[in-house]
Amino acid sequence: MKLLKPAWVNHNGKPIFSVDIHPDGTKFATGGQGEDSGKVVIWNMPPVVKEEDEKNENVPKMLCQMDNHLACVNCVRWSNNGAYLASGGDDKLIMVWKRSGYIGPSSVFGSSSKLTNVEQWRCLTILRSHSGDVMDVAWSPHDAWLASCSVDNTVVIWNALKFPEIIATLRGHSGLVKGLTWDPVGKYIASQADDRSLKVWRTMDWQLETSITKPFDECGGTTHVLRLSWSPDGHYLVSAHAMNNSGPTAQIIERDGWKTNMDFVGHRKAVTVVKFNPKIFKKEQKNGSSSKSSGPYCCCAVGSKDRSLSVWLTCLKRPLVVIHELFDKSIMDISWTLNGLGVLVCSMDGSVAYLDFPQDELGDPLTEEEKNNIHQSTYGKSLAITTEPQLSTTIIENPEMLKFQQKQQPLQDVEQRVLAQRGCSPAPAVASMVNGESLEDIRKNLLKKQVETRTADGRRRITPLCIAQLDTGDFSTAFFNSIPISGSLAGSMLSSQSNQQLISLDSNTTSSLGAPKTSQDPTGNVKPAEETANKESGNASSVSPAAPPSLSAHTKIEPMKALDSRFTERSKATSGTTGIAHLNQSVGDRIKEQNTAKDQKPTRDLLESSSDSEEKIPAAKPVSKRKAEADADLGEKRKKGRPRKDSRLMSVSLAVQSQAASASEKELNCVATPSFVLRLPTPASQKSFSLQITTDPSIYIEVENEIRTVGGSKLSRLKCLREGKEWETVLTSQILAAAGSTDVVCVACEKRMLSMFSGSGRRVFPPIILPSPISTLQCTGSYVMALTAAAALSVWDVQSQTVIIKNESLQPILSGNDLTVSHTLLTQRGIPVLNLSNGKAYCFNPALCTWNLINDMQDSMAQCADYMNCMSSQDGIMCSGPLSIIQGRTSNAGRQAARLFTMPHQVQQETTMAYLENQIAAALILQSSQEYRYWLLIYARYLVNEGFEQRLREVCQELLGPVHNSTGSQWESRILGFRKRELLKELLPLIGQNLRFQRLFTEYQEQLDSLRDK
């Protein structure tokens, strides 16, 4: 080891509070006190390392000096890509510096001509948020965030891709925050403060992961800084200024459980700074001819107020080296070179020291691949630099753009204040925690435990677990289904504004088909009492389930049981239970069903309709192959075409093709040659029932069947109560189902009759004869939707007395595996939407006469899309409409962290763009005007931010249309009620925010102005 103290690195006798070596090792920065201001100096590294360069007058020592800070600079930090330098000081400001394009010497302002700047560095942005001195700054591993801490007790997270946007403000410390460090992959950030605590925050939702206080309880007095550090393998976090048996230590905190059992001891005064070497090392131990490498270990440098420096290897119990009285005053900061062999140390006495280690003293560094494997085992993900340099700004070329920029400046100032205030309230913690356990830990526990089941012939089967979605940090379907939901909560989630209803196929439709299939808990665990109660009530097909546990702070959810509940909830829940549980089928269920489907023979049976005894509709029912073999002696009794009495029949059963056919061939056969008939459940006959059809205004329908009149004939009564007024009428057939809206009330009766009435009770036209018995009936506005037992869909407009959709078969979307229609929705524009049990939602487009897929709960694009920075402050709450009801998906806040280091930037760009285009197309086909505008604006912001000029021009051209009148033009001036050119006016200010698109902005602004003048 060599120790060097270059005397020419100084701030003219003033203290140096911070030092940081550039990632390429060619230069380093120091920050501290200047003559009458804060001073940041960038120095040349070769004269420090090599004696010949130090003596060579042609090799510059100082590269640039910046005196912009108004007060002492406490911290300087290079970004990981080396493009930026961040500095924070007592003037409450963070300045971000970038090297200027002009390369040439210039003199330092106010100095003699001898002192020249070899490199030109300019202040790119000034970040203002802290109300006190800024003590430390830190770039996240992927350079997407910049963190700063202050004596105002807060930590601010800045969006480094879009300065000066604030991502979050972390509040929780009750003392001056004096140190920050990120974990190796940006999953956590740790802060240490004078309140004798060290806090670890999650970057997934910016919530507190843990607060550690025990090692700091004995600490007396304060230090100027508390620079803590995270080991490059992620296993250890080492703090400054801890105490053990009244002796100063650097506390080692293990990432596994945040245990505090070890520390670095030996310094006589408080530890001020800890810095890990960026490399992970291993030692090659040679025994004769064979060589054996030791396990990986890390290297750490510790500086103290006792003016001494110690360097430790985690594989040794004692320090590798200790240098006493290295400086005259306390050590302030430490920085390692990227190759891990050199370390720079600065002191309050205004000097620096450089330690140069040979390779054999520290060990052999691990390769990046080996380092990534360690990150993979620790975090389940590895680091990848994904960010690109910010879009370059250019000179404003025309007065139109200048005028726009001047208008936007006050608006941007207001928005920044809103963002700063919004950053104070981070997202709710439920997104990533279950009873204090992070989703990452739950995921690891799941991987350790396999769920084994046995088939009827004794074979072992491992049940697949859906764990992929746990990493997203949002209310994904799989996670949401694992939490018990109260009836009131579920009801509020399923209810919608403006009379749009998401209808679940309820117990009335399934009770006639017998009890559902029973299932065994895959884990083999004894089920809780609540689950047993739910199951019993489900088998009895009761209308209201046994009270499920409500989602509250007191509910204790065991991670394993919570996740396993996904496999049992669907089998226990009949339609009488809350509709959310079977809205989606988990991946595990689907795989399980596909595996069993391979062993099934196609057998066709006839089912008797309980609602119409005159009709018999053939339907297919899968029969287990093993069961068929076991019951071979009974085979002759089961003649083809004879109905089987099986109480476990699913609500929709589909024929499965021969075992030899491949999956694609099955689907082709199902669609091309319909060799079977679909069958949907029908509602059971009831003596009486009532339902509320709207809440504003409050409208109720009451139905009474079999009212005996004087003549002895059986009549049914329909009564409608609307805000104190009521009307009633009688029908000659039993009423099986009813639905209504503010404009129309309709009922389905026996003998396939459908009757419709106006809002005041007047019959609109004679009964409609349906081709088969009713399965589901729904009304929205003046539209009526009927789904029949033969899986045919019809929609009518009662007001204009026209058919929108005529007897359209569900066969294209229900073909393949055993699928059921779990929910239906009829939009305000009369568009029918069907949610299937596999999590997919389809709507029928009357103009194209096609079924369109508008949502897939397992769609990876929805999980990967990251458009949070494209949402304005007004877009915090997602726009309500049919698309948001169908998707049931909230904003994907917090996902950004999970993907910035798991997906290449280009792939994320493509998936985000594809997702946003899908959303616009879905809103368009659903004719949801507000949602179309909402997603169009987000899409435009994304194109502007990412620099996609060609697509942006195409969007603008479509909205502008032809400037001159043309007889052959097919362009429509309106879309979903909006004027297209008004939408373009909303888009242009977004385009004007990026100077790269100023020509595009000017071009379309001028054309709009010319059209307005005409």
Side-chain angles (χ1 to χ4, degrees):
M1 182 201 80
K2 288 191 295 184
L3 171 62
L4 307 167
K5 288 198 74 175
W8 48 268
V9 180
N10 63 73
H11 283 204
N12 299 328
K14 304 287 185 183
I16 297 177
F17 287 110
S18 184
V19 64
D20 200 38
I21 301 173
H22 192 276
D24 67 7
T26 60
K27 57 178 77 84
F28 66 95
T30 58
Q33 186 70 50
E35 295 300 327
D36 53 0
S37 65
K39 182 189 283 190
V40 177
V41 186
I42 297 174
W43 307 88
N44 203 8
M45 195 70 182
V48 175
V49 182
K50 298 175 185 174
E51 190 176 355
E52 58 267 28
D53 286 337
E54 187 177 16
K55 292 178 179 177
N56 188 345
E57 292 185 0
N58 295 324
V59 178
K61 293 182 172 62
M62 192 193 79
L63 299 179
C64 188
Q65 176 177 321
M66 297 92 87
D67 299 323
N68 299 38
H69 277 280
L70 303 176
C72 179
V73 175
N74 294 313
C75 188
V76 288
R77 292 290 181 263
W78 294 101
S79 62
N80 294 281
N81 61 13
Y84 304 103
L85 174 69
S87 58
D90 286 352
D91 54 3
K92 310 173 189 176
L93 305 177
I94 299 106
M95 294 188 183
V96 180
W97 306 85
K98 186 180 182 182
R99 189 171 178 179
S100 178
Y102 167 70
I103 300 173
S106 67
S107 62
V108 176
F109 181 77
S111 69
S112 65
S113 59
K114 292 180 182 178
L115 196 58
T116 59
N117 284 336
V118 179
E119 294 180 356
Q120 304 300 318
W121 288 78
R122 64 184 177 88
C123 183
L124 184 73
T125 185
I126 298 176
L127 307 177
R128 297 177 172 89
S129 175
H130 289 293
S131 58
D133 303 356
V134 177
M135 298 305 297
D136 203 3
V137 294
W139 295 86
S140 66
H142 39 71
D143 281 341
W145 303 309
L146 175 67
S148 61
C149 66
S150 166
V151 298
D152 62 7
N153 303 356
T154 66
V155 177
V156 175
I157 311 296
W158 308 85
N159 184 353
L161 305 178
K162 198 178 176 183
F163 285 129
E165 180 183 307
I166 293 176
I167 301 284
T169 301
L170 312 182
R171 304 178 189 278
H173 281 291
S174 57
L176 321 183
V177 189
K178 294 182 176 179
L180 291 171
T181 182
W182 295 86
D183 82 308
V185 296
K187 186 180 175 65
Y188 298 110
I189 181 172
S191 58
Q192 190 172 351
D194 274 349
D195 59 5
R196 299 181 185 177
S197 77
L198 183 152
K199 298 186 187 295
V200 180
W201 314 80
R202 293 185 301 273
T203 59
M204 182 183 288
D205 55 1
W206 306 111
Q207 296 294 305
L208 185 66
E209 170 78 10
T210 185
S211 182
I212 297 157
T213 56
K214 189 176 179 183
F216 314 108
D217 288 342
E218 299 177 32
C219 291
T222 60
T223 58
H224 189 271
V225 289
L226 295 166
R227 303 199 199 276
L228 64 169
S229 183
W230 214 301
S231 65
D233 60 5
H235 290 153
Y236 302 106
L237 171 62
V238 179
S239 79
H241 196 25
M243 297 288 279
N244 188 356
N245 289 330
S246 302
T249 66
Q251 182 63 50
I252 301 172
I253 298 156
E254 295 178 59
R255 187 229 170 275
D256 185 15
W258 311 111
K259 295 191 284 285
T260 55
N261 300 327
M262 299 180 288
D263 45 23
F264 293 133
V265 297
H267 284 282
R268 299 184 302 278
K269 291 185 180 179
V271 171
T272 54
V273 55
V274 178
K275 196 59 176 275
F276 268 98
N277 190 311
K279 293 290 184 184
I280 304 173
F281 297 95
K282 63 183 176 184
K283 266 231 178 0
E284 295 289 340
Q285 299 169 343
K286 293 185 178 179
N287 297 326
S289 59
S290 64
S291 62
K292 179 185 174 187
S293 63
S294 65
Y297 58 88
C298 298
C299 174
C300 182
V302 179
S304 166
K305 283 177 81 172
D306 63 8
R307 302 170 292 157
S308 65
L309 178 80
S310 58
V311 180
W312 303 73
L313 300 180
T314 55
C315 61
L316 301 177
K317 292 184 179 179
R318 293 185 177 277
L320 178 70
V321 61
V322 178
I323 305 172
H324 293 288
E325 298 181 359
L326 182 58
F327 298 103
D328 295 333
K329 291 185 180 179
S330 170
I331 292 176
M332 285 286 102
D333 203 1
I334 300 170
S335 178
W336 288 89
T337 56
L338 202 59
N339 66 10
L341 298 178
V343 61
L344 259 177
V345 189
C346 72
S347 167
M348 197 181 277
D349 65 11
S351 64
V352 301
Y354 180 73
L355 277 67
D356 190 17
F357 291 93
Q359 193 76 67
D360 58 344
E361 280 188 4
L362 296 182
D364 301 309
L366 264 60
T367 63
E368 282 302 309
E369 186 180 354
E370 291 172 316
K371 195 172 173 182
N372 283 341
N373 289 338
I374 291 175
H375 290 164
Q376 195 73 33
S377 63
T378 306
Y379 293 97
K381 55 182 75 71
S382 60
L383 171 64
I385 302 296
T386 58
T387 58
E388 294 179 344
Q390 289 183 314
L391 299 174
S392 60
T393 57
T394 53
I395 299 168
I396 295 176
E397 297 174 355
N398 55 66
E400 281 291 329
M401 193 69 197
L402 183 61
K403 195 189 299 180
F404 171 74
Q405 292 282 329
Q406 289 170 347
K407 280 182 186 174
Q408 287 297 105
Q409 193 58 46
L411 297 175
Q412 287 174 356
D413 294 341
V414 171
E415 187 164 346
Q416 288 311 317
R417 287 197 291 272
V418 172
L419 281 169
Q421 291 168 4
R422 194 175 61 173
C424 306
S425 53
V430 69
S432 61
M433 292 293 289
V434 180
N435 290 325
E437 273 200 84
S438 67
L439 296 183
E440 184 67 35
D441 295 333
I442 295 175
R443 187 184 70 81
K444 285 190 174 180
N445 292 336
L446 283 171
L447 289 174
K448 292 176 187 173
K449 184 173 181 181
Q450 289 183 331
V451 181
E452 183 183 306
T453 56
R454 289 190 178 270
T455 57
D457 60 350
R459 292 186 184 181
R460 294 170 63 234
R461 290 285 181 268
I462 302 299
T463 305
L465 291 177
C466 173
I467 59 176
Q469 293 181 347
L470 284 179
D471 216 19
T472 61
D474 68 323
F475 282 99
S476 59
T477 308
F479 177 56
F480 201 85
N481 284 351
S482 68
I483 300 177
I485 298 172
S486 69
S488 59
L489 176 65
S492 65
M493 290 184 65
L494 285 177
S495 65
S496 65
Q497 299 172 355
S498 66
N499 197 30
Q500 291 180 348
Q501 296 173 336
L502 195 63
I503 302 296
S504 171
L505 301 184
D506 57 9
S507 59
N508 298 334
T509 62
T510 54
S511 57
S512 61
L513 297 175
K517 286 198 286 190
T518 57
S519 75
Q520 187 179 355
D521 188 349
T523 59
N525 295 337
V526 180
K527 295 185 181 178
E530 298 90 34
E531 293 187 14
T532 311
N534 278 347
K535 185 165 181 178
E536 288 171 358
S537 66
N539 288 340
S541 292
S542 61
V543 177
S544 61
S550 61
L551 181 64
S552 68
H554 306 293
T555 311
K556 179 73 176 170
I557 307 167
E558 303 234 353
M560 199 66 201
K561 290 180 184 174
L563 290 158
D564 286 345
S565 68
R566 266 177 277 161
F567 301 99
T568 56
E569 282 294 327
R570 263 164 214 76
S571 56
K572 337 186 260 229
T574 65
S575 41
T577 56
T578 306
I580 287 186
H582 55 279
L583 175 61
N584 280 310
Q585 197 174 15
S586 72
V587 176
D589 281 342
R590 297 219 320 274
I591 293 172
K592 209 159 45 173
E593 290 177 9
Q594 286 167 8
N595 289 341
T596 55
K598 291 176 184 174
D599 299 326
Q600 293 172 345
K601 288 183 179 179
T603 308
R604 197 176 304 151
D605 297 287
L606 292 174
L607 300 177
E608 234 176 73
S609 168
S610 60
S611 60
D612 192 347
S613 57
E614 295 176 2
E615 295 196 9
K616 294 181 181 178
I617 296 175
K621 176 168 176 53
V623 180
S624 170
K625 182 178 178 182
R626 293 191 190 85
K627 186 168 176 64
E629 289 172 355
D631 299 342
D633 55 328
L634 301 174
E636 292 182 9
K637 297 180 184 178
R638 298 172 182 168
K639 304 211 182 267
K640 190 174 180 182
R642 179 177 175 183
R644 283 184 60 186
K645 292 172 183 164
D646 194 331
S647 63
R648 296 179 300 163
L649 182 66
M650 291 181 70
S651 53
V652 175
S653 300
L654 305 175
V656 180
Q657 302 296 317
S658 64
Q659 196 172 351
S662 68
S664 60
E665 287 170 347
K666 287 180 189 178
E667 192 167 330
L668 187 64
N669 290 340
C670 291
V671 175
T673 56
S675 57
F676 57 89
V677 179
L678 298 174
R679 175 72 181 175
L680 296 183
T682 54
S685 175
Q686 298 182 67
K687 177 74 176 171
S688 63
F689 62 91
S690 63
L691 66 149
Q692 183 175 8
I693 56 176
T694 64
T695 53
D696 188 20
S698 178
I699 303 176
Y700 290 87
I701 292 178
E702 293 180 2
V703 170
E704 289 182 78
N705 286 322
E706 298 183 3
I707 302 171
R708 295 187 179 276
T709 60
V710 178
S713 60
K714 295 180 180 178
L715 297 177
S716 299
R717 177 185 291 133
L718 171 66
K719 184 186 290 186
C720 180
L721 295 89
R722 177 170 179 157
E723 294 183 326
K725 299 177 183 178
E726 67 174 63
W727 58 263
E728 60 180 62
T729 186
V730 291
L731 295 95
T732 56
S733 301
Q734 252 195 351
I735 299 173
L736 300 174
S741 67
T742 53
D743 301 326
V744 64
V745 174
C746 61
V747 291
C749 304
E750 280 185 324
K751 301 179 183 177
R752 310 190 309 278
M753 289 195 299
L754 185 67
S755 296
M756 300 184 191
F757 303 90
S758 68
S760 59
R762 178 177 54 85
R763 181 181 281 275
V764 180
F765 32 70
I768 296 173
I769 304 301
L770 298 173
S772 58
I774 194 73
S775 175
T776 305
L777 192 62
Q778 195 168 352
C779 295
T780 302
S782 63
Y783 297 100
V784 175
M785 179 182 78
L787 187 60
T788 65
L793 179 76
S794 297
V795 177
W796 299 275
D797 184 353
V798 178
Q799 189 173 1
S800 62
Q801 298 197 4
T802 55
V803 63
I804 308 297
I805 299 169
K806 182 182 178 183
N807 211 31
E808 191 64 42
S809 173
L810 271 58
Q811 190 169 321
I813 61 174
L814 283 178
S815 59
N817 296 326
D818 292 339
L819 296 176
T820 60
V821 179
S822 54
H823 296 87
T824 61
L825 172 71
L826 185 62
T827 72
Q828 291 286 340
R829 301 290 186 103
I831 308 292
V833 182
L834 305 182
N835 270 77
L836 304 188
S837 54
N838 62 358
K840 294 183 179 180
Y842 299 87
C843 78
F844 188 80
N845 185 352
L848 298 175
C849 292
T850 56
W851 287 101
N852 296 88
L853 176 68
I854 55 172
N855 184 49
D856 185 355
M857 285 297 184
Q858 306 301 331
D859 185 9
S860 59
M861 277 199 300
Q863 303 296 332
C864 298
D866 185 15
Y867 50 88
M868 283 306 297
N869 58 345
C870 300
M871 297 173 70
S872 69
S873 53
Q874 290 82 19
D875 294 334
I877 301 171
M878 187 167 282
C879 182
S880 62
L883 187 60
S884 60
I885 293 170
I886 294 156
Q887 292 178 339
R889 193 182 287 119
T890 56
S891 159
N892 67 351
R895 297 182 186 176
Q896 187 182 16
R899 270 175 311 291
L900 275 170
F901 41 82
T902 57
M903 181 183 294
H905 186 64
Q906 185 181 356
V907 178
Q908 190 165 2
Q909 268 188 343
E910 291 164 354
T911 52
T912 303
M913 203 146 52
Y915 173 74
L916 293 175
E917 287 167 359
N918 283 353
Q919 292 294 92
I920 293 171
L924 201 56
I925 209 163
L926 289 170
Q927 298 180 27
S928 176
S929 56
Q930 292 302 323
E931 286 179 308
Y932 171 76
R933 176 182 169 276
Y934 172 83
W935 288 110
L936 180 67
L937 291 176
I938 290 178
Y939 179 60
R941 285 193 198 102
Y942 189 77
L943 294 180
V944 170
N945 291 353
E946 299 297 326
F948 291 104
E949 184 171 0
Q950 192 175 353
R951 295 197 187 203
L952 200 57
R953 183 176 289 276
E954 188 180 20
V955 171
C956 292
Q957 191 57 47
E958 168 58 28
L959 294 176
L960 179 69
V963 180
H964 305 287
N965 292 329
S966 157
T967 53
S969 174
Q970 301 292 319
W971 183 74
E972 295 285 341
S973 63
R974 288 179 175 270
I975 183 166
L976 300 182
F978 291 115
R979 287 184 181 274
K980 288 184 178 179
R981 286 169 182 164
E982 292 297 323
L983 288 174
L984 180 58
K985 285 181 184 176
E986 288 190 63
L987 256 59
L988 283 178
L990 306 178
I991 297 170
Q993 289 173 4
N994 189 341
L995 291 182
R996 274 184 57 179
F997 297 133
Q998 58 178 305
R999 294 182 182 179
L1000 185 72
F1001 169 85
T1002 308
E1003 176 187 335
Y1004 283 98
Q1005 186 66 56
E1006 287 175 351
Q1007 292 189 73
L1008 279 178
D1009 291 342
S1010 67
L1011 287 167
R1012 185 187 59 201
D1013 294 340
K1014 287 180 182 178

